[in-house]
Amino acid sequence: MLTDSGFWFVQVLNSLQLSMLLFLLSVGLTVIFGLMNFVNLAHGSLYALGALFGYSIAQATGGMWLAYLLAPLCVMLVGAILYILIIDRMRKAGPMKQVLVTFGLIFVLLDIQRYLWGTDQLGVTSGIPFSGSFEIFGEIYPSYRLFIICVGLVVFAALFLLLEHTRLGAEVRAGVDDPETASCLGVNVERTFFVVFLIGSALAGLAGVVAMPAFSAEAGMGVSILVPTLVVVVVGGLGSLKGAFAGSLLIGTTLTFGQVIIPSFASMLMYALLVAVLLIRPSGLFPARG
């Protein structure tokens, strides 16, 4: 196996696929952290909702393409409701209260998911695009996983253009770097935060619906992916698109190859990488601030 180039190339693709899912989850979360210093532990629950909404839409329409469009919008609507009812009220409450409230929100959303969709694993078997496979270096690889990689890269490119070449992007960067000065210059930081929160919610939903055909959907699936997502945010640096992308690649590669080489210690390797990065760069690899 150590000399099997096909096997290791497949692991590289697997690491990229996991990295792109982590990126879709972490990018909205890291900009929210960096922009308004808000700790939203319920972000992973939006990922699960994206997968579950996607399942229901795919079952109703007989295909996935409409699910890719509507599921993120449904999750964005849920995010807007959460923001209006809870998040906005907790922004000034301090990080400890934010952690406690959003941690409790995880279980509220988990019970809602179990009530609406049950506790079984749910998956679609028809209408999945790129459902075939191809051979590379003697190994069979699912085409859909390449689709996941492409979605992540396209979203990265779109967000880069949004943040670097639009007024909203300039407002986000200004709000992350110096929110007080940005407000004095006429930037509506409150509106910017709300828009960023909605975009982050939609991206979490997109990650869920894109992952669902490959990994199925179940209530609470966002809990297990929350910790790697938070590690990505810390490793990459708060408020940074480049940091979210680099952190996702590092953590995705570490988890994938860790499971192959020393599966019993794969999670430990992730935390060891986290500690190493924080010892060298306490603010992360590419922090938006300072």
Side-chain angles (χ1 to χ4, degrees), residues 46 49-58 64-78 201-202 204-206 208-210 212:
L46 300 179
L49 282 174
L52 293 167
F53 277 130
Y55 168 79
S56 297
I57 295 169
M64 285 299 303
W65 288 113
L66 200 57
Y68 294 139
L69 175 64
L70 295 182
L73 294 178
C74 292
V75 175
M76 186 169 66
L77 178 61
V78 173
S201 299
L206 177 63
V209 68
V210 167
M212 185 266 296

Side-chain angles (χ1 to χ4, degrees), residues 104-171:
L105 192 57
I106 292 175
F107 295 98
V108 173
L109 293 174
L110 177 60
D111 284 342
I112 292 174
Q113 292 165 19
R114 287 173 173 169
Y115 178 78
L116 294 176
W117 285 280
T119 57
D120 295 334
Q121 288 193 337
L122 306 172
V124 293
T125 57
S126 60
I128 302 174
F130 312 105
S131 56
S133 59
F134 63 95
E135 183 176 337
I136 184 165
F137 295 121
E139 299 283 340
I140 302 299
Y141 195 77
S143 302
Y144 189 82
R145 297 202 175 199
L146 282 183
F147 172 67
I148 295 176
I149 296 172
C150 292
V151 169
L153 293 175
V154 168
V155 169
F156 173 73
L159 289 175
F160 177 81
L161 293 174
L162 176 68
L163 291 174
E164 297 296 330
H165 299 287
T166 68
R167 178 178 175 82
L168 175 62
E171 292 179 353

Side-chain angles (χ1 to χ4, degrees), residues 55-264:
Y55 168 79
S56 297
I57 295 169
Q59 290 295 100
T61 62
M64 285 299 303
W65 288 113
L66 200 57
Y68 294 139
L69 175 64
L70 295 182
L73 294 178
C74 292
V75 175
M76 186 169 66
L77 178 61
V78 173
I81 295 172
L82 293 177
Y83 178 87
I84 294 170
L85 295 180
I86 300 173
I87 303 299
D88 189 40
R89 298 167 185 248
M90 297 302 301
R91 283 178 45 210
K92 308 292 185 182
M96 184 56 68
K97 291 182 180 179
Q98 292 171 5
V99 167
L100 289 174
V101 169
T102 55
F103 184 73
L105 192 57
I106 292 175
F107 295 98
V108 173
L109 293 174
L110 177 60
D111 284 342
I112 292 174
Q113 292 165 19
R114 287 173 173 169
Y115 178 78
L116 294 176
W117 285 280
T119 57
D120 295 334
Q121 288 193 337
L122 306 172
V124 293
T125 57
S126 60
I128 302 174
F130 312 105
S131 56
S133 59
F134 63 95
E135 183 176 337
I136 184 165
F137 295 121
E139 299 283 340
I140 302 299
Y141 195 77
S143 302
Y144 189 82
R145 297 202 175 199
L146 282 183
F147 172 67
I148 295 176
I149 296 172
C150 292
V151 169
L153 293 175
V154 168
V155 169
F156 173 73
L159 289 175
F160 177 81
L161 293 174
L162 176 68
L163 291 174
E164 297 296 330
H165 299 287
T166 68
R167 178 178 175 82
L168 175 62
E171 292 179 353
V172 170
R173 297 197 309 274
V176 169
D177 292 336
D178 192 339
E180 292 81 10
T181 302
S183 296
C184 293
L185 293 175
V187 175
N188 190 335
V189 177
E190 302 294 325
R191 183 197 64 188
T192 301
F193 175 64
F194 180 62
V195 172
V196 168
F197 189 86
L198 294 185
I199 293 174
S201 299
L203 289 175
L206 177 63
V209 68
V210 167
M212 185 266 296
F215 305 104
S216 74
E218 62 178 320
M221 62 186 286
V223 176
S224 59
I225 204 169
L226 177 62
V227 171
T229 303
L230 292 174
V231 173
V232 167
V233 170
V234 175
V235 167
L238 298 182
S240 170
L241 174 64
K242 183 167 60 174
F245 191 76
S248 299
L249 289 175
L250 279 175
I251 300 304
T253 301
T254 300
L255 289 174
T256 300
F257 282 91
Q259 288 288 350
V260 172
I261 300 172
I262 43 176
S264 299

